[in-house]
């Protein structure tokens, strides 16, 4: 096991950030921690990277205990905080050399690991980090987190505030790193990124709701899911929410994801109801629930 | 060692890239030293002087003439009445009013005594005190003159018995206040810049989040702290050098003592300041907070350092407090070494206290610096 977390709890004064959290991450796994802002993701990262001490419970990273062997952990993990935290007034190259030096290594020694990423920002290596675009900052931060060949990589919301193209590139990079045997624990508020992980854990209000593979987790969804569309989206949502048998109504792109709380639900009945509300061009089709739907259902 | 060297290199790079900081470090202190040393004088000149002469005799005019001759007093007005003089003082037109009574000359000659009324504007208490001294001196000298004249006329057998004091001002023969102020202000500058910079430096890393990144690395506390603070130690020594050159070239302050001793003491003293700076930054979250706290201590340290007001005139409890003021020791040592040529043994008490202070402060600072929260 690369990361084991057992009954970790942490509270700040009267705010409970984590409540009895336990899970394990296998070696070489790309594990996603999915949850809204304030769910406790960053707190958990800070405990695992030895920046914070939990009130209760134990955790190990790369086989080392987070409290007793914190020094060994610091040698073998890479951490990329959610906020860009490199020296804005140093250049790309200087930042990288700085982190290599304090890890007691050099860029050359581990160049093969960061090569794919570094090549993309190398043309700007004499530019100060503060002057880089969001995507480039992200790549630089990843390079700095990888420069000492960590066994475990912690990425706290690495793609928040990054454009869709750079986000996709970033996840491709993570997949490649995973192939090199690095265990990656990544947190994200984006549900679409969850599908790219080997396994995901839903976290909300400091509690783990569910842990499984993205494919399996949607099967936990208890009800059949319907895609509904019509000529007037706003009125459709309002009408569905007013419908007495509705279980959940969430807008999803051009559709509304709808579940009913009856076991013998007949779409035709709903169709008649919607037509009575002066909606036209109505279509109701059964569909697969997404990770987002599952999360919303579990978080209810 | 390589790590420390690289951190030092990185710190210097950051300092020299910070276009807003460079002038603060190197230009402002020089300007301050030049301006403050010229401006922070205890001499009071151009005292606006008014008088009310009820007597209108040669003796009363002779007294007024004494004030007129003094370089400290600008004789402005002869007020016809006390009321007018008082309203002029209320308006701020005069600072000192001397009222010469009726029969001033007659009383002096017949009764050998008389009184002169003096009113001093004491809004600025320190200036009023100085004005009083000047005034008393002038009146006393006038008094002696009168005495001699009167005695010659009446009784030659009784010789006036006078004790005259001729003071010698050692270590600053001309009582040049610049000689006295420059070493002190130099101390302030070295302290202020190093305290503010070191206090804000680590907080800055907290603010921009790099500290968190660094805390996850295997870097040792001591490596990081030494690497971060050493550049400010160098800057402090650099400031001392600039200040000493200015003191010698611009202000012509004598440097009687050993430069090596000055540098040796300063090198230890800066450690105290850096320790305080680091300690402050451990307990603050933003540069603003750090700045305010540093400023708070700075003001107390300056006012209780004996630079502007003598420690001897403070109440007992305040004198005790000054024992914890590092600036006090630095001011003492600088003045002792520069003006008096004190040797290592002379400054040993200050040196030992400073050293103890440095050990305690840095110990506290390192102890309170935590990589884990």
């Amino acid at each position: 096991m690369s990361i084991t977390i057992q009954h970790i709890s942490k509270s700040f004064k009267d705010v409970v950030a984590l409540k009895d959290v336990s899970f394990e991450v296998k070696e070489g796994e790309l594990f996603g921690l999915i949850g809204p802002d304030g769910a406790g993701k960053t707190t958990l990262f800070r405990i695992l990277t030895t920046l914070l001490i939990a009130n209760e419970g134990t955790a190990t990273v790369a086989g080392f205990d987070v409290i007793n062997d914190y020094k060994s952990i610091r040698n073998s993990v890479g951490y990329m905080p959610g906020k860009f935290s490199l020296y804005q007034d140093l250049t790309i190259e200087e930042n990288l050399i700085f982190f290599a030096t304090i890890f007691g290594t050099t860029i050359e020694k581990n160049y093969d690991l960061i090569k794919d990423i570094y090549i993309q920002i190398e043309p700007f290596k004499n530019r100060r980090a503060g002057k880089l675009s969001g995507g480039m900052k992200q790549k630089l931060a990843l390079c700095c987190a990888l420069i000492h060949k960590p066994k475990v990589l912690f990425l706290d919301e690495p793609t928040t505030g990054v454009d869709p193209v750079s986000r996709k590139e970033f996840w491709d990079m993570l997949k490649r790193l995973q192939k090199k045997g690095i265990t990656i624990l990544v947190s994200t508020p984006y549900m679409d990124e969850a599908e790219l992980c080997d396994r995901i854990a839903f976290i909300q209000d400091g509690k783990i709701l569910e842990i499984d593979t993205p494919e399996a987790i949607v099967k936990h969804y208890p009800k059949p899911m319907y895609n509904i569309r019509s000529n007037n989206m706003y009125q459709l949502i309002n009408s569905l929410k007013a419908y007495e048998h509705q279980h959940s109504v969430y807008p999803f792109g051009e559709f509304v994801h709808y579940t009913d709380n009856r076991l013998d639900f007949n779409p035709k009945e709903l169709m008649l109801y919607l037509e009575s509300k002066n909606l036209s061009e109505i279509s109701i089709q059964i569909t697969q629930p997404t990770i987002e739907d599952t999360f919303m259902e579990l978080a209810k | 060692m390589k790590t420390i060297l690289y951190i030092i290199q990185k710190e210097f790079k950051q300092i020299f890239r910070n276009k807003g900081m460079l002038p603060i470090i190197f230009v402002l202190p020089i300007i301050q030293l030049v301006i403050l040393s010229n401006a922070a004088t205890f001499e009071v000149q151009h005292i606006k002087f008014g008088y009310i002469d009820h007597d209108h005799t040669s003796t009363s005019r002779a007294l007024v003439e004494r004030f007129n001759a003094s370089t400290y007093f600008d004789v402005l007005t002869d007020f016809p009445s006390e009321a007018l003089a008082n309203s002029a003082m209320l308006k701020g037109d005069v600072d000192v009013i001397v009222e010469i009574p009726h029969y001033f000359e007659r009383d002096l000659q017949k009764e050998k005594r008389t009184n002169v009324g003096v009113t001093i504007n004491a809004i600025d208490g320190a200036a009023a005190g100085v004005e009083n001294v000047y005034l008393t001196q002038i009146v006393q000298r006038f008094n002696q003159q009168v005495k001699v004249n009167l005695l010659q006329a009446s009784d030659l057998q009784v010789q006036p018995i006078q004790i005259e004091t001729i003071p010698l001002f050692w270590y600053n023969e001309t009582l040049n206040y610049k000689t006295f102020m420059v070493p002190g202000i130099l101390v302030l500058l070295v302290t202020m810049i190093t305290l503010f910079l070191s206090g804000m430096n680590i907080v800055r890393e907290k603010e921009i989040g790099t500290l968190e990144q660094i805390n996850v690395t295997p870097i040792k506390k001591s490596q990081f702290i030494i690497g971060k603070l050493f550049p400010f130690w160098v800057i402090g020594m650099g400031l001392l050098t600039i200040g000493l050159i200015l003191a010698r070239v611009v202000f012509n302050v004598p440097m009687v003592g050993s430069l090596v001793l000055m540098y040796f003491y300063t090198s230890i003293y800066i450690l105290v300041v850096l320790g305080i700076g680091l300690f402050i930054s451990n307990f603050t979250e933003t540069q603003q907070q750090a700045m305010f706290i540093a400023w708070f201590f700075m003001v107390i340290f300056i006012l209780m350092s004996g630079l502007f007001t003598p420690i001897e005139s403070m109440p007992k409890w305040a004198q005790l407090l000054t024992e914890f003021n590092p600036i006090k020791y630095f001011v003492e040592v600088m003045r002792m070494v520069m003006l008096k040529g004190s040797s290592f043994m002379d400054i040993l008490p200050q040196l030992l206290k400073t050293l103890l202070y440095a050990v305690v402060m840095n110990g506290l600072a390192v102890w309170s610096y935590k990589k884990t929260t």
Side-chain angles (χ1 to χ4, degrees), chain B residues 327-351:
Chain B
I327 295 186
K328 171 193 156 184
Y329 300 120
F330 197 14
V331 171
E332 276 176 13
V333 167
M334 285 299 269
R335 282 179 178 164
M336 280 165 79
V337 176
M338 267 173 100
L339 309 181
K340 210 159 126 185
S342 297
S343 67
F344 178 79
M345 287 315 285
D346 298 323
I347 64 160
L348 195 62
Q350 279 91 344
L351 188 71

Side-chain angles (χ1 to χ4, degrees), chain A residues 38-50:
Chain A
K41 302 191 293 287
T42 303
T43 308
L44 185 57
F45 272 80
R46 290 174 54 99
I47 290 172
L48 293 177
T49 50
T50 73

Side-chain angles (χ1 to χ4, degrees), chain B residues 174-185:
Chain B
T174 54
L175 268 189
N176 183 347
Y177 73 92
K178 281 179 197 159
T179 306
F180 173 73
M181 287 309 286
V182 170
I185 290 172

Side-chain angles (χ1 to χ4, degrees), chain B residues 12-31:
Chain B
F12 271 118
K13 263 184 201 160
Q14 288 187 301
I15 291 168
F16 286 104
R17 278 182 195 173
N18 194 337
K19 294 278 176 289
M21 219 52 168
L22 266 188
I24 294 180
I25 299 175
F26 293 106
V27 182
L28 283 190
I30 295 171
I31 295 176

Side-chain angles (χ1 to χ4, degrees), chain B residues 269-320:
Chain B
Y269 172 78
I270 295 178
L271 293 182
V272 178
V273 180
L274 294 180
I276 297 175
L278 179 62
F279 192 66
I280 290 174
S281 59
N282 286 343
F283 289 97
T284 48
E285 292 301 319
T286 63
Q287 293 188 63
Q288 248 175 10
Q289 290 173 353
M291 193 74 186
F292 271 115
I293 294 178
W295 189 238
F296 171 79
F297 281 108
M298 202 61 212
V299 168
I300 292 182
F301 283 167
I302 291 176
L303 291 181
M304 297 188 76
S305 65
L307 181 58
F308 295 110
T309 44
I311 290 172
E312 289 75 19
S313 59
M314 292 176 193
K316 198 82 198 134
W317 59 266
Q319 291 194 21
L320 269 174

Side-chain angles (χ1 to χ4, degrees), chain A residues 93-141:
Chain A
E93 201 179 18
E94 285 163 351
N95 265 302
L96 204 52
I97 295 175
F98 175 74
F99 280 98
T101 312
I102 59 176
F103 275 109
T105 179
T106 56
I107 298 183
E108 292 75 34
K109 246 186 234 169
N110 295 318
Y111 189 70
D112 55 310
L113 190 63
I114 60 163
K115 195 180 152 207
D116 290 346
I117 311 161
Y118 189 57
I119 267 179
Q120 302 174 43
I121 50 173
E122 205 173 10
F124 314 101
K125 67 178 184 188
N126 291 322
R127 194 182 286 187
R128 295 199 187 158
K131 300 231 161 72
L132 297 174
S133 69
M136 289 211 283
K137 277 182 183 169
Q138 226 56 14
K139 283 170 197 158
L140 173 59

Side-chain angles (χ1 to χ4, degrees), chain A residues 46 79 83 87 89 94, chain B residues 14 17 205 207 212-213:
Chain A
R46 290 174 54 99
Y79 175 41
K83 192 181 146 210
Y87 295 99
D89 43 3
E94 285 163 351
Chain B
Q14 288 187 301
R17 278 182 195 173
E205 298 237 357
E207 259 184 351
E212 180 143 313
Q213 189 95 64

